[in-house]
Amino acid sequence: MMANGFCVEKCYAVITGASSGLGAEFARQLAPSADVLVLVARRTEALETVKAELSGMRAKVLCCVSDLATDAGRHAVSAFLATNGVKPNLLINNAGMGDYGSFASSAAEKTRTQIELNITALTMLTHALLPQLERPAGILNVSSLASTLPMPDLAVYAASKAYVTSFSEALAIELAPAGITVSCVCPGPTPTNFSKSAKRNDGSDTNRDGQALLRISPSQVVREALGALQHGTPCVFPGVGVSIAGRVFRMIPRGLMRWLLKRRARNKD
Ligand SMILES: NC(=O)c1ccc[n+]([C@@H]2O[C@H](COP(=O)([O-])OP(=O)(O)OC[C@H]3O[C@@H](n4cnc5c(N)ncnc54)[C@H](OP(=O)(O)O)[C@@H]3O)[C@@H](O)[C@H]2O)c1
């Protein structure tokens, strides 16, 4: 069976990072038509707030409190599904974090956590849930426009998202014959809690020049991401500005890209 697209109607979905931002928005947009939503994140209260907001909608909502940056937390998700008798057919790997500032001055623990969450959790959760995904199934990975270019002062984040896009596009081909649709979404700057948690305590921030042109709402990002999954589109850049930027960044020769990034870094000083 070839995967053409995954229909989210009556889905049993696991959404990571569902306590705020894009993850909570995925829950909001799926709740009127899904059967079950399992919301995963660390903060119990924030998860319960999202759950309360969705009461009265079609979906039964379950909260799974787990730190996905740890092996124990990732195992806890599989155990939670088994305990609650949930057989998912949709996995949305959305949890992720960034760290604004130079790599040299980064806190080792934050860098490790970033890799654990953005790469290891997404990969190992997919690996753990694959055998139990009811077919037809869908996997939607949240990458970033940052996946298309090396980003000084956001180096590990951009590299981790390059992994997510590459991994997703490969899986889309590998899993299609098994009836599993894989899509990834590459949002540009989107107003969520992302910047707050990426900012360091010393106040250093990323350069936001030009970002206003690319910014769209979380609801549009999620609408386009779910549309891509339903149409079987392997990779989507939501919003007109981001879709143009994504195409351009992917076409720019690497040497020219490095020159532009160096100039931008010099202008910052
Ligand atoms: N906002 C943007 O500009 C933007 C642009 C491109 C891509 N993205 C991507 O979009 C995704 C969602 O981010 P967002 O913008 O919605 O930011 P957000 O509002 O900060 O949401 C991040 C979510 O991840 C969860 N999370 C963080 N660490 C976790 C951990 N160790 N274990 C489990 N859950 C964890 C957070 O919940 P708890 O704190 O409760 O654990 C929260 O629900 C990320 O993958 C991000 O890289 C964002």
Side-chain angles (χ1 to χ4, degrees), residues 17 19-20 22 42-43 67-68 94 143 157 161 190 192-193:
S19 60
S20 69
L22 295 175
R42 293 166 304 177
R43 289 171 297 151
D67 182 351
L68 293 171
N94 162 76
S143 181
Y157 178 75
K161 293 300 184 179
T190 312
T192 63
N193 284 338

Side-chain angles (χ1 to χ4, degrees), residues 16-24 40-44 46-47 66-70 93-98 100 113 117-118 142-146 157 161 185-195 197:
T16 70
S19 60
S20 69
L22 295 175
V40 184
R42 293 166 304 177
R43 289 171 297 151
T44 311
L47 282 175
S66 151
D67 182 351
L68 293 171
T70 66
N93 282 307
N94 162 76
M97 61 176 283
Y100 294 148
T113 303
L117 185 63
N118 296 6
V142 179
S143 181
S144 170
L145 177 61
Y157 178 75
K161 293 300 184 179
V185 56
C186 298
T190 312
T192 63
N193 284 338
F194 179 85
S195 291
S197 57

Side-chain angles (χ1 to χ4, degrees), residues 141-190:
N141 291 332
V142 179
S143 181
S144 170
L145 177 61
S147 70
T148 59
L149 70 171
M151 291 188 73
D153 289 346
L154 203 55
V156 172
Y157 178 75
S160 74
K161 293 300 184 179
Y163 172 94
V164 173
T165 301
S166 170
F167 175 66
S168 305
E169 290 186 312
L171 274 198
I173 296 166
E174 218 178 282
L175 296 178
I180 303 178
T181 304
V182 181
S183 295
C184 84
V185 56
C186 298
T190 312

Side-chain angles (χ1 to χ4, degrees), residues 56-120:
M57 294 201 184
R58 177 193 169 95
K60 177 181 174 189
V61 179
L62 303 170
C63 297
C64 172
V65 177
S66 151
D67 182 351
L68 293 171
T70 66
D71 271 332
R74 297 187 280 264
H75 290 143
V77 177
S78 301
F80 181 91
L81 296 175
T83 306
N84 288 280
V86 177
K87 292 200 166 110
N89 61 359
L90 172 60
L91 170 61
I92 302 183
N93 282 307
N94 162 76
M97 61 176 283
D99 181 26
Y100 294 148
S102 76
F103 176 68
S105 63
S106 65
E109 207 38 53
K110 192 169 183 185
T111 294
R112 185 194 304 280
T113 303
Q114 201 181 178
I115 294 169
E116 283 286 340
L117 185 63
N118 296 6
I119 297 180
T120 312

Side-chain angles (χ1 to χ4, degrees), residues 9-39:
E9 295 281 312
K10 302 183 180 174
C11 67
Y12 282 57
V14 175
I15 309 171
T16 70
S19 60
S20 69
L22 295 175
E25 185 59 25
F26 275 113
R28 275 181 212 111
Q29 292 195 21
L30 287 173
S33 60
D35 274 353
V36 174
L37 298 178
V38 177
L39 312 183

